[in-house]
Amino acid sequence: MTAEQTVANPNGSTPAEQTAPTPGLPGRSSRRWIALAVIALAQLMVVLDATIVNIALPSAQADLGFGTDQRQWIVTAYSLAFGSLLLLGGRLGDLFGRKTTFIIGLVGFALASVLGGLADSFGLLVAARALQGVFGALLAPSALGMLTTTFRDPKERGRAFGIFGSIAGSGAALGLLLGGVLTEYASWRWCLYVNVVFAVLGVIGALVFMAKPPKVDRPRIDVAGVLTITAGLVGIVYGFSNAETNGWDDPLTIVMLAAGVVLVAAFVVIETRVAHPLLPLRVVLDRDRGGSYIAIGLVAIGMFGIFLFLTYYLEQTLGFTSLQTGLAFLPMPLSIIVSSTQIGGRLLPRVGPKVLVFAGGLVAATGLLLLLRTDLDSTYAGTVLPALVVIGLGMGTIFSSAINTATTGVARTDAGVASATVNTMQQIGGSIGTALLSTIFADVVRGRLADLSGAPTKLQQAQAVLDGYHVAFGISAGVLVLVALAGGLLINRQSVRVAKLEHAAASDTGSIATAAH
């Protein structure tokens, strides 16, 4: 096995395993890429839903008549259910087959979306969003887990993860565009109904093109681990959501965050003592995977500095409509796609994730610093567009490299939970980014206005808000520098990774040969 083969091999498989046809997939090569399209479609549906509904919120509020203070629950209900159940969803995929959980997740997500689209009350809409989160937590790790075990050849794996990484990085921006189109030309309800189209295509594709997964042992589910990590993640996600609306000194924020941290710590202790842990610590303690998970979480924090505050800037400062804002973001996902597939996908087997995550973090940070040039009368083409292109180039390199590395080297039985950890880090990072940056932004605006003598003019108010945007962009840039440091300091050099994975592959081959005798 060559060094290049080993680096891209997620399961320590032998060369024979890499070239042997996949069971149940005649025409293996072409069907693998069709399966990738199905997986990417499902992932796009989940990622889109994080932002597509945000665009629809004002229209939904006017239609259903709920208060502005309640509006946050439509977002929080989804993130709470999704973020807290991801690890359980990943393990269920490991135990019962990822194709099965993938299809169940698609069908359930579609039904929950229909329920939300038909909602005639605030309570029903919130319940539907929570149900979307439940099935999304089953679907997302199943999709990434199948990708991990489907593509083993190093060149194919690099391209496949480049495509998947481009979806993961650009889906939120595409959600803004699609949400704007549907809200303006149809109805806010179609921001939910559209998921049925994705789900139907996904189910048909899964049934026709995806191989039946091999039978695996089904150990007992780690009930104590499920309860502690689910409750812990609920506490953390809810705590950050509450901090965004009610402040960091709110008693509920403090209690929920503290309880969440204690429960996550208890989960770690439990995982070291149970026979069949929900999240085997070997998955996260590996230096390459651990560094990748940290980078993914930090990227999610930094990305919210882009989507949240740049959306505000375009709509409130430059006067863009929702549709114009969605179109304005389009160069970023296009840049991510080019970077993920043409740079990250091609260079990963050659230079390794250490170099690519480091370089991608610095490039994306540079793009965010370009947003500090924005002013009250800036032009989109002269200030925003160049920044979005640079940010996309950096983000695409990070996503394709970090997600690939985070799922490389895990056994088949751990592929689902390793994939779920990727999604969990993204969700927690997004919650932290939203709450932290929103709070800092509000503090900056209040501070600037408090320094003025007398009632502020509209120009002074606008300048204070712009200063808040700049601080948020600057902090997001700093977070992306931390992404670069996580890649540069934690992830091993390519030669070290090659040697480690070759050793693991040799050990697995030896174990198989011994068992055969």
Side-chain angles (χ1 to χ4, degrees), residues 87-88 90-92 94-95 219-222 225-226 229 267-286 289-290 293 406 409-421:
L87 287 177
L88 175 59
R91 182 50 86 194
L92 290 176
D94 290 334
L95 296 180
R220 291 178 300 174
I221 293 181
D222 171 20
V226 169
I229 193 60
F267 168 75
V268 173
V269 173
I270 290 170
E271 298 308 276
T272 63
R273 300 184 179 184
V274 296
H276 304 292
L278 176 66
L279 175 60
L281 295 185
R282 62 178 177 272
V283 172
V284 295
L285 292 180
D286 175 84
R289 283 195 295 274
Y293 288 137
V410 294
R412 278 186 182 273
T413 53
D414 293 334
V417 75
S419 303
T421 306

